[in-house]
Amino acid sequence: MMRSLLGILAAATAALVASQAPALAEQRLTVAGYGGSYEQIMRTSVIPTFERENGVRIDYLTGNSSDNLARMQAQRGNQTVGVAVLDDGPMVQAVSLGLCRTLPDAVRDAVYPIAVLGDDHAVGTGFGFTGIAYNTKLFKERGFPVPTSWMDLARPEYRQRIAIPGIDNTYGVHTLAMMARIHGGSDADIAPGLKVMRQQINPNVLAYESSPGKMSEMFQSGEIWLAVWGSSRVAAMQQAGFPLAIARPKEGAVVLMTAGCAITGSPEPALADKFLAYLVSPKVQEIFSTQYGAGPTNRATKLPPEVADRVIYGEDQVRSLIGLDWDVVNRNRADWTRQWQRQVER
């Protein structure tokens, strides 16, 4: 009888411990990143594997770069976000605000030098570029030449058939910066770019549109024939079957990286570093190259030829990318915005 009672007690104790073990052992990490197709890939192809392999729970918080940066600023001293994924420009701003911790050596050493941001505090997790997206079917039917220059945006046959994201969007910033650079200005002297936008490009612009969804709709409806846009956005429409291509202008295509950092003062810092390393691991880099059109920043990533042909891949292509001086841009962006609103997008 005593032995039976002891056995029952032992079994009950074991069951209680087993029921509590997952709750006691489970770690949680909040990751803030983009919505749309990026979120879908994270939730279906990236996060579940990390959770299984590490016995943890990842909470994914959706928002654009500006929203997530503002959220982290508001939470300073009481952070809930462990890892943030932002565009490279806002990420450099996050670093300057002290929101990002120093990268683990293994993460820094795995990627191309151009992908190490903010004095080793953030890392590019995927290469894209800003170029000129165009409707290949329409261009063929009308006999238009494939765009080769940023100044093709000023061609008279495209009057009211172009969309450009606004200055609130990284693509819009890239457009203004390149117009300044190729007309004698620089990231620190944006006046030539504003003049060209106002006098030569603006007559052709149907809409200054920052919403990816709206931009897609305008392409699909035929309202616009070409636009300043990103390679990953174009890749998504290509995968959906729309006849869209993106040209790299001869003056240079501007690099647009998704970038990640581990947040200062957040819970579970070791887990945050581990997830950041996972984002730049070759297997995850291949997932985003295949499904999102982002070129791998990890130099060891191997891509099948059909994927490699669609993304920024390899030393030569990475070297060809143009980067902005984001410290200068971020310092002057409020002034750029005011001037843009007065002179361009009126």
Side-chain angles (χ1 to χ4, degrees):
M1 181 70 176
M2 180 63 70
R3 184 176 301 171
S4 175
L5 180 59
L6 289 173
I8 292 171
L9 288 172
T13 301
L16 179 62
V17 171
S19 69
Q20 292 179 338
L24 293 172
E26 184 178 66
Q27 293 176 285
R28 299 183 76 120
L29 177 71
T30 297
V31 176
Y34 313 110
S37 57
Y38 189 93
E39 178 185 5
Q40 183 179 1
I41 294 166
M42 286 287 273
R43 290 188 183 279
T44 60
S45 301
V46 176
I47 288 174
T49 301
F50 185 85
E51 289 178 326
R52 285 195 305 272
E53 292 178 351
N54 295 279
V56 301
R57 171 73 66 83
I58 302 296
D59 299 311
Y60 190 79
L61 186 62
T62 302
N64 62 36
S65 294
S66 298
D67 290 342
N68 281 329
L69 178 58
R71 179 180 288 114
M72 290 184 293
Q73 286 181 270
Q75 292 182 353
R76 188 188 296 274
N78 188 30
Q79 293 287 356
T80 59
V81 175
V83 172
V85 178
L86 312 174
D87 288 349
D88 47 7
M91 182 59 78
V92 171
Q93 188 175 3
V95 171
S96 71
L97 293 169
L99 295 172
C100 297
R101 291 191 289 107
T102 304
L103 293 173
D105 290 346
V107 171
R108 182 198 62 221
D109 295 343
V111 301
Y112 293 102
I114 195 175
V116 179
L117 305 173
D119 193 25
D120 293 1
H121 283 73
V123 62
T125 60
F127 284 127
F129 67 89
T130 300
I132 301 175
Y134 62 99
N135 184 323
T136 57
K137 181 174 181 293
L138 187 147
F139 265 57
K140 184 176 180 180
E141 291 172 351
R142 293 178 174 268
F144 292 153
V146 172
T148 60
S149 167
W150 285 101
M151 290 310 297
D152 282 345
L153 296 173
R155 292 174 68 103
E157 58 264 43
Y158 303 143
R159 188 174 182 85
Q160 292 290 289
R161 293 294 186 176
I162 291 175
I164 299 175
I167 198 68
D168 61 321
N169 186 282
T170 302
Y171 300 131
V173 172
H174 285 177
T175 305
L176 179 57
M178 287 307 300
M179 290 300 173
R181 287 186 180 199
I182 63 181
H183 290 91
S186 66
D187 296 348
D189 176 17
I190 212 66
L194 289 165
K195 181 179 179 180
V196 171
M197 290 297 302
R198 181 177 67 252
Q199 295 181 353
Q200 299 184 53
I201 308 300
N202 204 39
N204 285 357
V205 178
L206 175 66
Y208 289 98
E209 182 54 62
S210 296
S211 165
K214 182 62 177 176
M215 187 79 85
S216 299
E217 289 174 9
M218 288 192 294
F219 266 121
Q220 291 166 347
S221 68
E223 292 177 82
I224 60 171
W225 300 344
L226 67 168
V228 176
W229 222 14
S231 53
S232 62
R233 299 296 184 187
V234 172
M237 289 194 69
Q238 288 172 335
Q239 290 184 0
F242 189 81
L244 201 66
I246 187 164
R248 301 183 195 181
K250 63 185 180 183
E251 300 91 350
V254 188
V255 64
L256 174 61
M257 280 183 281
T258 56
C261 83
I263 305 304
T264 303
S266 65
E268 305 290 358
L271 184 59
D273 285 345
K274 195 170 189 178
F275 188 79
L276 198 60
Y278 177 67
L279 285 181
V280 296
S281 66
K283 67 178 181 180
V284 173
Q285 296 271 286
E286 183 177 357
I287 288 170
F288 275 106
S289 292
T290 303
Q291 299 183 34
Y292 191 66
T297 59
N298 186 318
R299 292 174 293 188
T301 306
K302 303 298 182 185
L303 299 179
E306 65 273 15
V307 177
D309 288 344
R310 301 198 305 263
V311 301
I312 299 295
Y313 181 59
E315 297 277 356
D316 291 344
Q317 291 195 16
V318 171
R319 274 199 301 268
S320 73
L321 295 171
I322 292 176
L324 301 190
D325 186 338
W326 281 110
D327 288 326
V328 171
V329 173
N330 287 331
R331 194 161 55 244
N332 293 285
R333 190 162 177 175
D335 181 57
W336 288 19
T337 299
R338 284 191 294 271
Q339 294 191 66
W340 175 281
Q341 291 170 343
R342 286 200 304 265
Q343 300 181 41
V344 180
E345 195 175 343
R346 295 180 293 180

